[in-house]
Amino acid sequence: MALDRDLHLNIPSIDAEHALQIGLVEALGRAIAEGKSREVADEILEKLLDYTRVHFLAEELMMRMEGYPGYEAHHSEHGELLTELQKMRAAYGRGDHPRMADAVEGLRSWLAGHIRTQDRAFAAFLSARSAESPCA
């Protein structure tokens, strides 16, 4: 899943971060599908977890700075995904490789859904604030 047009929010920094995040998910999916070594997939999964943490922190900081009223629900969804990524890493570390393809597909679906709903709502909020601003 590349960053399809329907996943663009027209916020360059967030769109770039989403593209990188989706690229890591795709790399993980390919590594698993191609039967790459455990070390390769584990390294990608670790990068994905680290990058997702950083992306979520940046997004949440932006929400807080802008006074976004949907912050709590958005933050909660971020926490759910981080928990799932940690479970994936633990399962993979235990050698539970057969379920990883399903987990990656679930991750793709979650990310696309989150971007289309929660992130799009935040983007709309920012756009509306910008339109209201006398400096815009």
Side-chain angles (χ1 to χ4, degrees):
M1 171 180 83
L3 192 60
D4 297 330
R5 293 203 55 71
D6 70 325
L7 297 179
H8 281 268
L9 302 176
N10 296 318
I11 301 172
S13 62
I14 293 178
D15 286 338
E17 289 177 11
H18 286 159
L20 182 53
Q21 193 176 32
I22 289 168
L24 287 167
V25 171
E26 291 305 314
L28 178 61
R30 279 191 307 277
I32 291 166
E34 295 170 4
K36 299 284 184 187
S37 73
R38 178 178 170 178
E39 291 79 20
V40 169
D42 192 49
E43 182 179 336
I44 296 168
L45 188 53
E46 194 64 34
K47 285 179 184 177
L48 176 60
L49 185 55
D50 288 344
Y51 189 77
T52 297
R53 282 187 189 115
V54 169
H55 166 65
F56 286 172
L57 285 172
E59 212 174 72
E60 290 168 8
L61 177 60
M62 189 183 297
M63 285 182 232
R64 290 172 64 186
M65 289 175 61
E66 295 294 334
Y68 180 53
Y71 171 81
E72 289 300 326
H74 203 130
H75 173 72
S76 178
E77 276 198 19
H78 285 173
E80 290 170 17
L81 180 65
L82 288 172
T83 298
E84 286 305 310
L85 283 172
Q86 290 165 341
K87 287 179 184 176
M88 281 176 70
R89 185 179 62 184
Y92 195 76
R94 288 190 308 269
D96 193 1
H97 302 175
R99 291 193 203 163
M100 288 302 290
D102 290 339
V104 170
E105 189 53 43
L107 184 55
R108 283 183 184 115
S109 177
W110 187 95
L111 261 174
H114 180 78
I115 292 168
R116 287 182 183 117
T117 58
Q118 292 286 347
D119 287 345
R120 189 166 310 282
F122 178 53
F125 171 82
L126 290 175
S127 180
R129 281 184 57 115
S130 176
E132 293 171 0
S133 173
C135 297

